[in-house]
Amino acid sequence: MKRSHLLIIAAVLIAALVGCRAEPTAAPVVTEIAATVTSTASPTETPTPTYTPTITPTPSPTPMPTGNPYAGVAPEGALMRLGKGTIENVILSPDSKYLAVETLAGVYVYWYDTFAEVWSTSFELSEPNGNPPAWSPDSQKLAVTRGRGPLLVWDATSEQATEVGDDCKNGPGWSPDSSQVACNLQRNYRWLGTSVWDVEHNQNLFEFDGSYAKWSPDGTYIASLEKGTIWMGSDVFVWDANTGEMLYQFESSASRPAAFDWSPDGRYLASGTREGPVIIWDTKTGQRAHTLIGHTDDVKTLTWSPDGTQLMTGEMGGPTIIWEAASGKMAYAFESYTMSWSPDGTRLANTIGDGTIAVQDAVSGDVHLTIEGYGAIWAANGTQLINSRLVTVSIWDAETGELLRTLEGFTDSVDNVAWSPAGKYLASDSLDGVVIIWDSATGEYLRDLEIPHRSPIAWAPDGERLASRSRAELTIWDVSTGEQQHILQSENLWAITWSPDGKYLAAAEVSRIVIWDTETGEQLRILQDQTDGIYSIAWSPDGTQLASDSSGNEIVIWNPYTGEQISSFKTSLHDHHILGISWSPDGTRLAIGTERAVAVRDTTTGESVFISQEAIGPASIPAWSPDGTRLAAATGLAVDTLIWNANSGQLLETIEGHSLSVHDADWSPDGTRLATAGLEGTVIIWDMSE
């Protein structure tokens, strides 16, 4: 229903760089780089950690889940949300009792053993831009960053969530005893350092001038990156975890640090830089233990093996290297997208370039087995692996590679949404090429139709068929069976529309319109236009006229049965590219969605009825309410859906509830509900009866 360029953002959100496994390389030369250790307090020896998190036993899991797994958290004022959004992160609690799934629409917590849903929260108004949620070490709390404002901390014991902290942009990081949480502060788009909070009392204990805080394993120190504004500074700082006082800093003339991590015993602090070198600092002496040369670009990932004998470092667009921590020598290198250590440190789960996960020996690098997917994490006992792919979470046997079970309910970015003529069903199409048919009353996922590419969709007037298009094919589906009735070959398809009697289907092919017989699949006629592009077409309610747009901001009215041009008129929006058109229910007016406005024209005279005065982004195809009194349009790059008085152009209502941009809107046939489609991967149904 709307041009596909609005989904470019989605490709950015899900794009990932992957490579292929490489043979081990020779050990690097360990080169020292001039360093200075500046201290405001004499570094004391870091004691061997004795703290062990107390993991409170969790009650036995509830029965297997019932109900609709695709029911998302509806925002305030909405009737329901269809789908839970596109998966961003999967986070397993340290005791493997809970599985948290962060999507672009919210966070959902499940019992790991049964997949019964325990708790959920939604993101609203562009909130999902913080760091992934983080479990406390005792597995009893989950801290969720919502992009702005306080953290949301869910307590597994009470199953309640409370707000903690103010102005938290990123983080969160937990203290080893699970009593405190640190987050990065941002006010008025300025980075202000790190704030440490007492979770139980929601008390700000102290703030310090650093970012991305990590507690030492014994809880006595906090390490951070940049002192001051993000992207500035070249040092790693160590702070007193009780007072926030800066104790000392590890200063390097080589490059700014990009990633860092404490060794399991707290003796060493490793930091990767944005120019390649990795430095291992001895926190007892304040001196470098090793400078590791092997990377040439930004080191984005850095983790110690569970026993502290090895260090894994990963370069953006380059190799992942396993180092021997004691000697500083390279053990081996390989290409990897993501990697994680098994709990006992003997194996690695490594995502390689062909979209598979290799389970390999941590010492030799030998591959034991492979499974499908990207980015795996280990269960606490090391016998299972968990990974996700946009809309599905999979659990695998780490010994055999057998797929054990899957968690569903998640949905990819939604481009178009359309009610069936009787209002019983709702169809949505998404970035992954799947059209979902929903029960509009219950929100139940009824069936899906696999389409080669994301596609505008259009219901036949009988409500039994659905048309979709790819660039080269126009497909008519039987909705009840999911079978294809006709596949019509075409070229450069942009838009489709049914005749009111359902006998014909019109398809826009850049500079021409093709009329098809929907019963026989026969091509009946071609309406030839001399413009450079036709991107939207609409059949009039009485079936006698067909409207099309053009790249020259002109609307052409056709007789679809003879191919004659009845009339044409300029939109007067000369600097606005037309994105979609739609007829009013009585056939007297035409609504036009453009890059910056919505306009209504009288189809007889061509005169303007109104042009929206609101500053909006690219508008979807405007949707008329069934009685013709209201007009709705999604605003493309914003999170709003706007409702206007269709006669005066007065803005009646602004609907907000999606976490990312809204791509489409459609009224139910009785005018009491409005469905909106969002980039985060969900459809929200709103009550419009009042």
Side-chain angles (χ1 to χ4, degrees), residues 253-582:
S253 60
S255 166
R256 295 172 296 176
F260 68 103
D261 194 25
W262 292 92
S263 64
D265 63 2
R267 170 71 183 267
Y268 300 101
L269 190 63
S271 63
T273 65
R274 291 190 168 93
E275 294 173 359
V278 175
I279 304 171
I280 299 179
W281 303 93
D282 188 325
T283 61
K284 283 188 176 182
T285 65
Q287 301 299 314
R288 296 187 189 204
H290 301 288
T291 300
L292 312 179
I293 305 299
H295 295 291
T296 59
D297 203 349
D298 198 346
V299 176
K300 297 297 293 183
T301 58
L302 184 154
T303 59
W304 293 84
S305 63
D307 63 3
T309 62
Q310 293 178 303
L311 181 69
M312 182 279 294
T313 58
E315 175 184 337
M316 178 180 288
T320 293
I321 301 176
I322 304 297
W323 308 88
E324 299 297 339
S327 65
K329 293 182 178 180
M330 180 189 297
Y332 55 92
F334 52 91
E335 296 298 321
S336 176
Y337 169 51
T338 63
M339 197 212 73
S340 61
W341 297 94
S342 64
D344 62 4
T346 63
R347 292 167 294 168
L348 304 170
N350 166 36
T351 303
I352 56 181
D354 58 355
T356 60
I357 297 167
V359 178
Q360 57 194 77
D361 186 277
V363 176
S364 67
D366 293 339
V367 175
H368 297 317
L369 60 89
T370 59
I371 59 177
E372 296 179 1
Y374 294 86
I377 57 177
W378 295 82
N381 60 11
T383 63
Q384 296 179 351
L385 283 165
I386 305 97
N387 77 302
S388 63
R389 295 193 72 169
L390 294 180
V391 297
T392 305
V393 178
S394 301
I395 312 296
W396 305 83
D397 187 305
E399 300 294 334
T400 66
E402 177 188 359
L403 177 61
L404 301 176
R405 52 202 172 100
T406 59
L407 174 62
E408 299 179 336
F410 308 99
T411 39
D412 205 358
S413 174
V414 183
D415 198 21
N416 301 288
V417 63
W419 294 86
S420 64
K424 184 177 180 180
Y425 305 115
L426 195 64
S428 64
D429 80 279
S430 55
L431 186 67
D432 57 3
V434 175
V435 173
I436 301 175
I437 308 299
W438 307 88
D439 185 307
S440 66
T442 65
E444 182 182 357
Y445 186 123
L446 299 178
R447 72 165 61 251
D448 57 60
L449 312 174
E450 295 286 345
I451 296 173
H453 306 281
R454 70 181 187 272
S455 162
I457 49 178
W459 286 94
D462 59 14
E464 298 176 356
R465 295 169 294 166
L466 188 75
S468 68
R469 65 94 176 152
S470 66
R471 279 299 181 92
E473 289 182 350
L474 177 60
T475 306
I476 299 176
W477 303 82
D478 184 312
V479 176
S480 62
T481 65
E483 295 179 354
Q484 298 174 342
Q485 289 187 342
H486 295 290
I487 300 177
L488 312 176
Q489 299 301 317
S490 190
E491 294 182 1
N492 298 315
L493 277 167
W494 281 106
I496 51 178
T497 183
W498 290 84
S499 63
D501 60 9
K503 293 181 179 180
Y504 308 106
L505 193 62
E509 297 182 353
V510 182
S511 61
R512 67 178 192 171
I513 300 171
V514 180
I515 309 295
W516 301 86
D517 185 305
T518 62
E519 292 298 326
T520 66
E522 179 186 357
Q523 186 181 109
L524 298 180
R525 66 187 56 83
I526 294 175
L527 313 183
Q528 192 71 43
D529 199 345
Q530 301 304 314
T531 62
D532 294 332
I534 301 173
Y535 300 111
S536 183
I537 54 177
W539 219 299
S540 65
D542 64 3
T544 62
Q545 300 177 88
L546 186 69
S548 68
D549 73 340
S550 76
S551 58
N553 292 310
E554 184 178 37
I555 301 296
V556 178
I557 308 297
W558 306 81
N559 182 321
Y561 307 104
T562 65
E564 176 190 0
Q565 286 193 16
I566 300 173
S567 62
S568 64
F569 54 86
K570 292 285 186 179
T571 65
S572 74
L573 302 171
H574 302 298
D575 57 345
H576 295 201
H577 187 78
I578 298 174
L579 300 177
I581 56 177
S582 61

